[in-house]
Every structure is written in C-alpha cells, then in structure tokens.
Amino acid sequence: LASIFRKIDEDESGALSYQELQQGAQKVAELRHWLRVMDIDARDLRQLFLIVDEDGSGEIDPEEFIEAMYRMKNAESRTATKFVKHIVTKLDKEQQNLKTSLEKV
C-alpha cells in the first residue's frame, strides 16, 4: 500500500489530492486492483476520498490511505455500509445546520 501511495502521489507532496486519486485509479494497476476487489468504481471515488480523508484536510496522508484501504479491503462486505454511514452522517450534519439556521429566522 505504501508503494501504491507513492505511485499515486505524482507531485511527491506526501499527500494525495482528489485529482491524484482519480488519476491513480486510471493509471496505477495496483490501485485499480484494490478498488476492483472492494467493488469501488469511478463513481464512488469521491465518496472514498471523503471517507479516507478522516481529518477533513482535503488531502489524504499516507497513514490515512494505508489504514483505510487495508481496513476496507479486509472488511469488503462492510465497504458499502461505510459509504452509506458516511453519506448519512454528512446529511444529518447538513440537516442540523439547516435547522439551526431556520431557528434563527
């Protein structure tokens, strides 16, 4: 996984942008294999990026990448659940923000 990360990190910044992840999914055979095993296609990459970017920095550092990819591959039957949980949590937060805003009106 560390070597996959290095191959994807085209600018050698030590962190992956969403664009680098997208390009890596197209160009790096090992990453394509991992994604295929986890049943993640191009449409799911944005959600994968948001899930893996646990600190919300807008970039994925090596530790986040390695830990998340290993965890998801070894719990592949729960990968879809992780995606759904992430989306629902995000929607709940947005709904709470909207509710707070409306209460101020």
Side-chain angles (χ1 to χ4, degrees), residues 5 13-18 20 46 49-65 86 93:
F5 183 92
S13 65
L16 298 179
S17 66
Y18 175 61
E20 286 176 314
R46 184 71 184 157
F49 183 85
L50 294 171
I51 290 169
V52 176
D53 180 23
E54 291 181 354
D55 63 5
S57 66
E59 294 184 320
I60 299 172
D61 63 46
E63 293 78 23
E64 289 173 324
F65 178 81
H86 178 77
K93 183 186 277 187

Side-chain angles (χ1 to χ4, degrees), residues 24-38:
Q26 295 171 354
K27 297 178 182 178
V28 179
E30 297 97 321
L31 179 60
R32 281 197 312 271
H33 172 75
W34 274 79
L35 296 174
R36 191 173 30 251
V37 166
M38 294 186 300

Side-chain angles (χ1 to χ4, degrees), residues 2-21:
S3 71
I4 293 173
F5 183 92
R6 286 190 298 276
K7 289 177 184 176
I8 300 169
D9 184 17
E10 290 184 352
D11 64 3
E12 298 179 356
S13 65
L16 298 179
S17 66
Y18 175 61
Q19 183 178 2
E20 286 176 314
L21 182 64

Side-chain angles (χ1 to χ4, degrees), residues 60-94:
I60 299 172
D61 63 46
E63 293 78 23
E64 289 173 324
F65 178 81
I66 292 167
E67 182 180 324
M69 296 297 280
Y70 180 80
R71 196 175 48 222
M72 284 185 192
K73 182 175 183 266
N74 288 308
E76 65 186 79
S77 64
R78 291 178 276 173
T79 300
T81 304
K82 289 181 185 295
F83 273 76
V84 171
K85 181 180 178 185
H86 178 77
I87 292 168
V88 169
T89 301
K90 181 179 176 186
L91 287 173
D92 183 52
K93 183 186 277 187
E94 289 175 2

